[in-house]
Amino acid sequence: MRPIVRVKNLSKQYIIGAREAAYGSLRETIVEAMRAPLRRLQGDGKRNSETIWALRDVSFEVAPGEVIGIIGRNGAGKSTLLKVLSRITEPTNGRAELYGRVASLLEVGTGFHPELTGRENVYLNGAILGMNKTEIDRKFDEIVAFAELEKFLDTPVKRYSSGMYMRLAFAVASHLEPEILIVDEVLAVGDAAFQKKCLGKMGQVASEGRTVLFVSHNMSAVRNLCSRALWLDGGRVVEAGETGQVVLNYTQKGALARLKQVWQDPTTAPGDSTARLCELSVTAPGQEWDEPFTVKTPLRLTATIQNYHPNALLNFSIVLYNLEGVAIFNTASVPQTFPEGPLEGSFTIPGDFLNDGAYTIRILLVKDTTVAVFDLYDALLFEVLDAGRIGNWYGKVVGAVRPHFDWELNTGK
């Protein structure tokens, strides 16, 4: 079977500070002409320009009906890859071949004309996809119902909020029956109900045999929606294969993992003449080292210090943050006096407490209940995965924490 997407040795280079060649407005042409003599006086700016490779020798194939998750940290090249596949930008080297009608949902408002109404943009996008008016008419009511924008359908989209833009854009892209649907971080804009709706629709699109390329930082959605995953880092393919294994390697061995730190040289370890940090780790007791952490996994945090003072009054303090910088909790040990020598402190975060997501650890050692011996931010970095979808829900469960409570359900009196 011929692949529906074939990418071969694809590379994309950018010159930092330079703009890609494009057809400019009259105003831009005049401004450029006025700047040219000044640039000649200052010297050719291109001599000192810096280039970066957003993509480097990327190759993969996608079979018809496959759902591929594209993962990686910010700046890994994911969005650049989708822009090349969507024909928004040209590659520097290599080829990208797509066999079928393509609908892309990349940045908010992409493909919409701001002066046209929502209704007019639906028909414009359908025409761009090669659909005739009869085909668009057949899908129009479904698009409007999904977007929930009936009252604003005849309003120019330049007056839409980012959430309204995304509602209509996703409704158009997912309902106009493309052979290939390209989606970049659909969960970045919109409330929880909208996210749930979008992910459910993507699951439906996939079940209908259409091909989906899905970029997301939501590992739960990637694991549940995608049959294969592509991990990018630094513009290169790190790994491609079965979704569960690729996501596991990404979260536990890749960009989202720093599960242990050891300071062997006391002169560079956090601390002072009172005490210094020797080792800090987060583990899952009874679990293999390469198994992922999930919302049901108890996590053990252990810190070891070297105390240089007899009868020092010390206590540990740990702050857990999510990647948005929100403090999830702060826990501290009881201040006690300790003899000179090594000291280990530990505690367990119970399962069914943390929500899925990425977290960082801040650790402090406090003496005499007021003085910080050291205060180390981002000492550890780890991710907690969902333990499995809830019914047809593919999105993220809201909340800083996700405790399991025993419910009592009764019928009648």
Side-chain angles (χ1 to χ4, degrees):
M1 180 185 296
R2 184 180 72 173
I4 195 168
V5 177
R6 179 184 286 126
V7 175
K8 185 69 173 177
N9 298 328
L10 194 69
S11 298
K12 178 64 181 178
Q13 186 185 53
Y14 287 104
I15 300 174
I16 297 177
R19 297 175 61 182
E20 288 193 84
Y23 294 104
S25 65
L26 176 61
R27 181 176 63 183
E28 289 171 334
T29 303
I30 293 172
V31 171
E32 183 66 20
M34 294 175 66
R35 284 176 174 168
L38 180 60
R39 275 204 305 270
R40 284 195 291 271
L41 288 173
Q42 294 174 335
D44 187 358
K46 290 186 179 179
R47 293 176 189 169
N48 299 320
S49 61
E50 182 181 349
T51 62
I52 60 168
W53 289 94
L55 297 172
R56 200 68 184 262
D57 297 325
V58 173
S59 299
F60 64 94
E61 294 182 349
V62 182
E66 273 197 299
V67 183
I68 304 298
I70 302 174
I71 61 176
R73 61 186 177 182
N74 292 333
K78 307 183 299 297
S79 295
T80 300
L81 174 60
L82 296 196
K83 287 179 180 178
V84 172
L85 296 178
S86 301
R87 303 292 190 253
I88 292 174
T89 186
E90 289 291 322
T92 305
N93 299 309
R95 295 174 59 83
E97 302 171 1
L98 292 86
Y99 303 95
R101 191 160 60 192
V102 179
S104 300
L105 182 60
L106 305 180
E107 298 168 354
V108 174
T110 299
F112 281 178
H113 193 294
E115 299 296 336
L116 299 181
T117 66
R119 184 188 305 274
E120 292 165 337
N121 270 293
V122 171
Y123 281 92
L124 173 63
N125 273 262
I128 291 172
L129 285 173
M131 301 178 71
N132 58 41
K133 185 176 183 300
T134 302
E135 290 177 298
I136 301 172
D137 286 341
R138 181 167 51 86
K139 289 289 183 179
F140 187 82
D141 289 343
E142 290 182 47
I143 292 171
V144 173
F146 185 94
E148 300 176 1
L149 294 172
E150 293 91 339
K151 291 193 298 184
F152 307 99
L153 203 56
D154 294 308
T155 301
V157 298
K158 67 181 180 181
R159 297 194 175 96
Y160 284 14
S161 68
S162 58
M164 293 166 68
Y165 251 118
M166 185 61 78
R167 282 178 180 272
L168 188 59
F170 186 86
V172 170
S174 60
H175 284 80
L176 292 185
E177 299 182 349
E179 282 85 15
I180 304 169
L181 177 61
I182 297 176
V183 183
D184 189 356
E185 198 56 79
V186 69
L187 301 180
V189 178
D191 55 28
F194 170 68
Q195 295 173 13
K196 178 178 179 180
K197 203 171 186 179
C198 287
L199 289 166
K201 183 61 180 177
M202 286 183 61
Q204 179 187 334
V205 168
S207 68
E208 293 170 354
R210 283 181 272 167
T211 303
V212 180
L213 278 71
F214 177 43
V215 163
S216 181
H217 292 286
N218 184 334
M219 294 299 106
S220 175
V222 170
R223 289 168 68 97
N224 286 309
L225 286 173
C226 304
S227 54
R228 286 199 300 132
L230 186 74
W231 171 13
L232 294 180
D233 189 41
R236 297 180 182 271
V237 176
V238 177
E239 185 178 0
E242 189 272 326
T243 302
Q245 189 61 50
V246 175
V247 169
L248 170 64
N249 291 340
Y250 170 60
T251 55
Q252 297 297 78
K253 305 173 187 176
L256 289 179
R258 186 165 66 248
L259 307 181
K260 184 176 182 178
Q261 284 213 70
V262 178
W263 292 267
Q264 295 180 336
D265 183 356
T267 62
T268 59
D272 58 22
S273 59
T274 302
R276 290 193 179 272
L277 185 60
C278 302
E279 185 173 315
L280 183 67
S281 66
V282 59
T283 59
Q287 187 169 290
E288 295 295 329
W289 70 271
D290 58 350
E291 291 185 61
F293 300 157
T294 76
V295 293
K296 294 188 175 298
T297 306
L299 299 179
R300 186 78 171 166
L301 192 132
T302 304
T304 303
I305 66 165
Q306 182 68 31
N307 174 30
Y308 300 122
H309 282 253
N311 300 316
L313 181 63
L314 302 172
N315 72 279
F316 290 101
S317 180
I318 296 290
V319 188
L320 182 75
Y321 295 91
N322 63 19
L323 287 193
E324 286 73 47
V326 177
I328 307 303
F329 65 73
N330 182 4
T331 183
S333 63
V334 176
Q336 298 180 54
T337 55
F338 296 96
E340 183 179 352
L343 170 64
E344 179 181 282
S346 61
F347 68 93
T348 298
I349 304 172
D352 288 318
F353 177 76
L354 293 180
N355 203 350
D356 61 305
Y359 297 92
T360 64
I361 292 289
R362 172 189 177 191
I363 180 171
L364 301 89
L365 182 68
V366 181
K367 71 174 181 179
D368 300 328
T369 71
T370 56
V371 180
V373 177
F374 57 78
D375 184 355
L376 184 62
Y377 282 82
D378 299 330
L380 298 177
L381 172 63
F382 62 93
E383 183 168 27
V384 176
L385 302 181
D386 204 331
R389 67 183 184 183
I390 303 172
N392 292 322
W393 168 243
Y394 295 94
K396 182 176 176 61
V397 177
V398 298
V401 293
R402 189 172 166 179
H404 175 77
F405 296 126
D406 291 328
W407 282 68
E408 293 183 8
L409 302 176
N410 300 294
T411 58
K413 291 186 179 180

